[in-house]
Amino acid sequence: MAKVNIALDAELVVEVMVLAGIGNPQDAVEAVVRDYIARGHRTEARTASREETHRTGQGLLPPEPPQG
């Protein structure tokens, strides 16, 4: 895997380390980036699901009340 070197504000990295409970700066930043990517994928999945519902019309009407 290719590596990228970047400069970050030390206070920012320390805060991420504390919040994530991770003692290594590299691991803390990687965890944040992986979480951000996972959230993006979840959002994409929800959006696709909603678009499919609107496209097919399924799930748009409330269920009929039970009769009897």
Side-chain angles (χ1 to χ4, degrees):
M1 176 188 318
K3 299 284 181 176
V4 175
N5 292 319
I6 58 171
L8 295 172
D9 181 85
E11 290 180 24
L12 180 69
V13 175
V14 169
E15 188 162 348
V16 168
M17 291 170 61
V18 170
L19 289 172
I22 299 173
N24 178 309
Q26 169 121 10
D27 292 345
V29 172
E30 280 188 21
V32 170
V33 172
R34 290 181 190 280
D35 181 62
Y36 181 81
I37 291 169
R39 287 179 187 209
H41 289 305
R42 289 192 301 267
T43 299
E44 288 174 0
R46 285 188 201 138
T47 302
S49 176
R50 286 185 190 147
E51 288 174 357
E52 179 67 18
T53 299
H54 287 292
R55 187 177 65 77
T56 62
Q58 295 179 4
L60 294 178
L61 299 175
E64 292 185 25
Q67 297 179 7

